[in-house]
Amino acid sequence: MSRAASAATKPPNGAETLLRAAVDAGLEVCFANPGTSEMHFVSAIDSVSANTAGIKGGLRAVLGLHETVCSGAADGYARMTRRPALTLLHLGPGLANGLANLHNARRAGTPVVNLVGDMATWHKAADPLLNSDIGALAAAVSCHTHTCQPGENLSAAMAAAVAATAIGGEGASQAAGGSRVATLIVPHDLSWERGNDTATEANPVGSGTSGPAAHAPAALPHSQHSIAAPAPGLPAGAQRFVREAAAALKACPRGKAALYIGGRAALAEGEALLSCGRIAAATGAALLCENAFARLDRGAGLPDVQRLPYFPQDAAAELAKYELLLLLDARPPVANFGYEGGPSRLVTLPEEAVWEFDSGLVDLPAALRLLAEELGAAGITPGVNCRGTFCSPSRPPVPTGRLTAAALCQAVAALQPAGAVVVDESLTSGGSYFSVSRGCPQFSHLTLTGGAIGAGIPLTVGAAVACPDRTVINLQADGSAMYSLQGLWTQAREQLRVVTVICANRSYAILKVEQAKQRITLSNGKASRALTDLGSPALDWVSLAQGMGVPASRATTCEELVAALRTAMQRQGPSLVEAVL
């Protein structure tokens, strides 16, 4: 018998078994930064893709040069497809490198499946150099953490991990914005051993599995108006809840109610966002969204949504205008930080005035359609009888002259193509983009959900892999970009259609804003300058990008920026423009 024929008759090893199960569960992409303990998975990706090509399409492998690129890319991919990707990470330190963007994914409520190697079962007790408590690290961000055991059915373990990432999945938090990150830990020897797919399951998949009750941060308390049990469609109890909410909206004085949207309510898919706009138009309710939203579909013909202010006093003042609040797939808003003398919780309404709709507990688009019908809003048409609730087509003029942060935002909004995906980690420089882009051709807007900076470039990688036919634009603060600039190399390797606009103000400007907000005297001393300034030496983004294989240019005027953006948006692969502010 030939060596090839002999290999073909062998049962799959553990790595092949797990990846075949992932493909069977619908996973298509693996964002990877593997090491020694994941080498069998690297080989298995080829094997599984060869064996499944033409059936499910195999598993696309995308290399990231740092684990934060992999985890952030998986987040961006899931925000656009609403399906999980795999990450392949090297032991505990590799997972730790990816935790910042897994934190952002947790806050975004996006599904991710992490596949993390571990020491061989018989070697772990020796406490080798890279040994660590991977489960403890994973529990900080995961709704489901499981360490595979000898003799276990590995296909079932992978299927359980993927299932846990689904909305309403076992182990996943049912509250809005709850974690949908699952982490599967695989000892090295289990990846090379063969025959596990047919082994008797010695340990149930639940053994060693942790859910939110054990490890996730405590959820904020729900109001008394909260749909109480998961159910497909709209069962009688959910319908009653929706009708009671409709009655409360009808009874509320016009202009004194607000819809606060996030998650699935912010998406055009399934007409959830359209229903929100109709409800607002019919009732006069304000339409607000999270300041740090995972994804908001925006533009002409879609509802004109107001973004909740970032600073807590401003946000609390906005929310204080209303007597009734509907939380539509969104957490109750709280302050990002506890400022001296500032508020913590931003909603001060009594519980009976707060109604919560969570997509983990109800078919949210169906619930919103019923709510619109109950309010007589189903017949509202954008631009016809919507009372200005929906955006009319409009673009700002192309700016000229001095290049400022506001002009940068104006230029991007003036030039972005229909269907663009705008990944926004611009922080202080992008403050005006939300308002100037409201009437652009329809696009998807992604922001920094968990506050862990360095998400922007990785998010573009995942979004571009998910949507190869759409232009991805990254409004990117320069300081934050340095956390994950390795993602530019992945953009070049994969020839992703991404235009990165670096907002080069050469400082950690957000820290200066925070100093002023906290009434900290700016001493202009050596430490104050050193810890907020990025200009000595100045970062050369053109050289950095070109060194990663990404064509780049520098703009110091509006005319130069506009010309560079037009060229970049015509390119099929990635581009970077350093906008010197």
Side-chain angles (χ1 to χ4, degrees):
M1 181 182 295
S2 70
R3 181 175 298 179
S6 177
T9 63
K10 290 182 180 179
N13 63 25
E16 293 167 338
T17 296
L18 284 162
L19 293 186
R20 286 182 184 178
V23 172
D24 288 342
L27 275 62
E28 299 176 343
V29 179
C30 179
F31 297 101
N33 188 279
T36 300
S37 52
E38 294 76 45
M39 285 298 96
H40 288 84
F41 285 100
V42 172
S43 177
I45 291 175
D46 282 329
S47 173
V48 168
S49 297
N51 290 333
T52 59
I55 303 173
K56 291 181 178 291
L59 192 64
R60 178 178 176 179
V62 178
L63 177 62
L65 298 185
H66 190 279
E67 292 86 350
T68 199
V69 174
C70 300
S71 57
D75 182 13
Y77 177 90
R79 292 197 203 186
M80 297 311 301
T81 63
R82 299 178 56 234
R83 302 190 309 273
L86 273 178
T87 71
L88 182 61
L89 308 175
H90 184 40
L91 305 175
L95 175 61
N97 280 343
L99 281 181
N101 276 329
L102 289 173
H103 164 77
N104 290 327
R106 176 177 75 86
R107 282 294 186 174
T110 47
V112 176
V113 178
N114 300 311
L115 201 52
V116 185
D118 197 2
M119 293 296 166
T121 54
W122 44 266
H123 187 47
K124 192 171 181 67
D127 194 23
L129 190 65
L130 282 167
N131 193 37
S132 64
D133 188 345
I134 302 174
L137 292 169
V141 294
S142 304
C143 68
H144 174 97
T145 301
H146 178 70
T147 300
C148 296
Q149 303 295 327
E152 181 180 349
N153 186 322
L154 297 182
S155 293
M158 175 58 77
V162 176
T165 69
I167 293 177
E170 184 178 353
S173 171
Q174 304 309 313
S179 176
R180 293 170 61 197
V181 175
T183 301
L184 202 58
I185 303 164
V186 187
H188 196 179
D189 49 330
L190 269 61
S191 71
W192 72 63
E193 290 177 351
R194 297 185 179 274
N196 279 326
D197 197 36
T198 57
T200 301
E201 191 172 349
N203 298 305
V205 170
S207 175
T209 301
S210 61
H215 294 289
L220 292 171
H222 280 207
S223 74
Q224 69 182 37
H225 296 307
S226 182
I227 298 174
L234 283 182
Q239 291 184 38
R240 183 169 58 252
F241 176 90
V242 171
R243 292 190 173 98
E244 290 173 354
L249 270 171
K250 290 176 182 177
C252 186
R254 192 170 185 86
K256 290 296 183 180
L259 312 181
Y260 182 67
I261 68 170
R264 196 170 182 188
L267 305 184
E269 299 163 14
E271 297 193 345
L273 182 58
L274 179 62
S275 293
C276 290
R278 285 171 168 163
I279 293 163
T283 63
L287 190 54
L288 311 176
C289 73
E290 298 169 309
N291 180 272
F293 49 82
R295 172 181 157 194
L296 177 63
D297 290 335
R298 304 183 57 217
L302 292 174
D304 189 2
V305 180
Q306 177 183 342
R307 191 176 185 180
L308 196 68
Y310 173 82
F311 286 110
Q313 289 88 346
D314 300 330
E318 176 61 35
L319 292 168
K321 299 175 182 177
Y322 309 110
E323 298 174 4
L324 183 74
L325 183 65
L326 270 64
L327 300 175
L328 305 179
D329 213 13
R331 295 168 177 260
V334 300
N336 287 336
F337 295 96
Y339 294 94
E340 183 178 357
S344 178
R345 300 187 187 279
L346 303 180
V347 178
T348 58
L349 291 170
E351 287 188 352
E352 61 269 17
V354 180
W355 297 73
E356 296 185 42
F357 290 66
D358 292 347
S359 63
L361 301 173
V362 70
D363 181 339
L364 189 67
L368 292 173
R369 284 194 297 271
L370 177 59
L371 184 59
E373 291 170 4
E374 290 292 313
L375 294 166
I380 288 176
T381 302
V384 178
N385 58 347
C386 67
R387 299 177 179 175
T389 302
F390 289 77
C391 296
S392 300
S394 65
R395 279 191 189 266
V398 174
T400 58
R402 179 170 171 260
L403 182 54
T404 63
L408 183 155
C409 295
Q410 184 176 330
V412 172
L415 299 174
Q416 66 186 60
V421 180
V422 177
V423 174
D424 186 355
E425 196 183 23
S426 55
L427 303 180
T428 57
S429 297
S432 63
Y433 175 76
F434 193 87
S435 60
V436 298
S437 59
R438 58 169 32 97
C440 288
Q442 290 186 15
F443 66 102
S444 295
H445 193 169
L446 281 57
T447 71
L448 177 64
T449 51
I453 62 175
I457 293 174
L459 283 173
T460 68
V461 170
V465 169
C467 306
D469 56 336
R470 300 173 69 172
T471 298
V472 179
I473 301 170
N474 181 196
L475 285 172
Q476 182 61 59
D478 53 355
S480 300
M482 287 299 295
Y483 281 57
S484 53
L485 81 165
Q486 302 95 327
L488 295 175
W489 181 88
T490 303
Q491 292 177 8
R493 158 74 76 90
E494 300 293 326
Q495 279 299 286
L496 302 177
R497 194 172 179 180
V498 178
V499 179
T500 302
V501 184
I502 297 292
C503 307
N505 59 15
R506 305 217 189 323
S507 74
Y508 281 129
I510 186 63
L511 298 184
K512 295 178 180 179
V513 173
E514 289 288 356
Q515 281 181 314
K517 187 70 176 177
Q518 297 181 62
R519 299 183 178 89
I520 298 172
T521 301
L522 300 179
S523 66
N524 200 33
K526 183 176 181 180
S528 294
R529 293 195 306 272
L531 297 181
T532 59
D533 177 65
L534 299 178
S536 181
L539 296 167
D540 183 347
W541 279 98
V542 173
S543 296
L544 288 169
Q546 290 175 343
M548 298 277 185
V550 174
S553 59
R554 180 176 292 112
T556 59
T557 67
C558 286
E559 288 80 2
E560 290 174 350
L561 175 62
V562 167
L565 287 175
R566 283 178 167 150
T567 298
M569 289 180 190
Q570 294 301 313
R571 188 173 284 124
Q572 291 304 306
S575 300
L576 182 142
V577 181
E578 180 183 10
V580 181
L581 303 177

